[in-house]
Amino acid sequence: MKKIEINNVCKNYVTSSGVKKALKNVSMEIEEGSVTVIGGENGSGKSVLMNIIAGLENADSGSVKCFAKAGLVFQEADTQILGETPREDIGFGPSNQKKSREEIKKIIQDVLEQTGLTLKADYPARFLSGGEKRRLAAACMLAMDLPVIIFDEPYANLDYGGVKQVNSLIKKLHDDKKTVIILTHELEKCLALADRFIVLFRGEKVFDGSAEDGLKQNLEQWNIRNPLVSYTSKDQLVW
């Protein structure tokens, strides 16, 4: 079984107030074809770790071995959309890979169907909904045949319909044996999809196990909302 292997990764940043330790000796293995949810509050190190896995940043120490190139779907999917329409946008990657015109045409059609965007193929990309834009960003990763896809806060600013669209895509990617990593603090929207649940807190890995076991943890100590808890006030939690 192929794996993404992360061993004792450290990453520091120099800020005006001193050195910020973004990641502190983080280690984990992520199996090919799995869906892994990495939870954590803002500033926990989630995005830094994923930028390192995707090759956008280098670790200061430690090692990362990824069995294939990873594609990253950013929280602000608009920044990844280059084409005027989904059809045009999806075609950029295969075109840069020097595919033939017929190959590109087939790839575009296949990916549109996989991501449920066929009816919006020639629709102005800037007018797509938030969920559709995230599906389009993922479609571009699929068009380049990237087997590892990382979603960074995929539910941000989405309504219920958008959440359903993104989750439908994630389930489809899982069924197609893609390796999916979801970075989020909104566990209630995706934990049911997870084969694995990891929590980062202040740059350290503090939990690594099943979603079921994760829900038994006191997630609030890491500033994450537990989907099984009803919050009636700031100071009262009801199970």
Side-chain angles (χ1 to χ4, degrees), residues 194-212:
D195 299 309
R196 175 107 164 274
F197 176 41
I198 295 169
V199 178
L200 295 181
F201 181 64
R202 296 178 181 173
E204 297 184 81
K205 186 180 76 172
V206 293
F207 177 80
D208 187 346
S210 68
E212 182 180 4

Side-chain angles (χ1 to χ4, degrees), residues 18 20 29 43 71 81 90 102 109 111 133 140 150 164 168 225 234-235:
K20 174 180 171 56
E29 292 184 347
I81 297 174
I90 292 168
E102 286 305 310
Q109 192 57 44
V111 168
K133 287 177 180 178
C140 294
I150 304 168
K164 286 181 65 177
S168 178
R225 180 181 177 124
K234 278 188 175 180
D235 303 315

Side-chain angles (χ1 to χ4, degrees), residues 50-224:
M50 293 306 105
N51 283 341
I52 292 172
I53 292 176
L56 301 180
E57 293 188 57
N58 295 319
D60 292 333
S61 61
S63 64
V64 175
K65 296 179 182 178
C66 191
F67 61 85
K69 186 176 180 180
L72 184 54
V73 178
F74 294 104
Q75 178 176 334
E76 298 297 334
D78 296 78
T79 62
Q80 293 179 263
I81 297 174
L82 303 176
E84 292 295 321
T85 65
R87 188 186 303 280
E88 182 180 331
D89 199 49
I90 292 168
F92 276 126
S95 178
N96 289 334
Q97 292 174 327
K98 309 301 182 184
K99 304 283 187 182
S100 69
R101 183 174 298 180
E102 286 305 310
E103 284 180 301
I104 293 172
K105 185 177 179 180
K106 184 178 187 308
I107 289 169
I108 291 172
Q109 192 57 44
D110 288 346
V111 168
L112 285 168
E113 291 176 5
Q114 287 179 52
T115 54
L117 289 170
T118 303
L119 297 179
K120 295 290 182 75
D122 300 303
Y123 190 81
R126 65 184 180 278
F127 293 142
L128 295 174
S129 70
E132 289 168 341
K133 287 177 180 178
R134 290 196 178 109
R135 281 192 284 156
L136 176 55
C140 294
M141 305 297 110
L142 291 173
M144 293 186 288
D145 198 26
L146 299 182
V148 180
I149 300 180
I150 304 168
F151 291 86
D152 188 5
E153 296 290 356
Y155 308 106
N157 304 315
L158 292 188
D159 59 14
Y160 178 65
V163 171
K164 286 181 65 177
Q165 289 177 354
V166 171
N167 280 349
S168 178
L169 173 59
I170 290 170
K171 187 177 185 306
K172 179 69 167 59
L173 294 173
H174 191 205
D175 291 343
D176 290 342
K177 310 302 180 185
K178 301 294 184 182
T179 303
V180 180
I181 302 172
I182 306 168
L183 316 178
T184 186
H185 63 278
E186 300 181 85
L187 303 181
E188 69 278 4
K189 295 176 180 176
C190 63
L191 207 51
L193 301 172
D195 299 309
R196 175 107 164 274
F197 176 41
I198 295 169
V199 178
L200 295 181
F201 181 64
R202 296 178 181 173
E204 297 184 81
K205 186 180 76 172
V206 293
F207 177 80
D208 187 346
S210 68
E212 182 180 4
D213 288 341
L215 290 172
K216 297 175 184 176
Q217 307 299 309
N218 176 18
L219 296 178
E220 287 76 18
Q221 68 181 313
W222 303 315
N223 297 329
I224 308 174

Side-chain angles (χ1 to χ4, degrees), residues 31-42:
E31 293 188 354
E32 179 185 22
S34 64
V35 174
T36 299
V37 171
I38 300 182
E41 63 179 335
N42 291 338

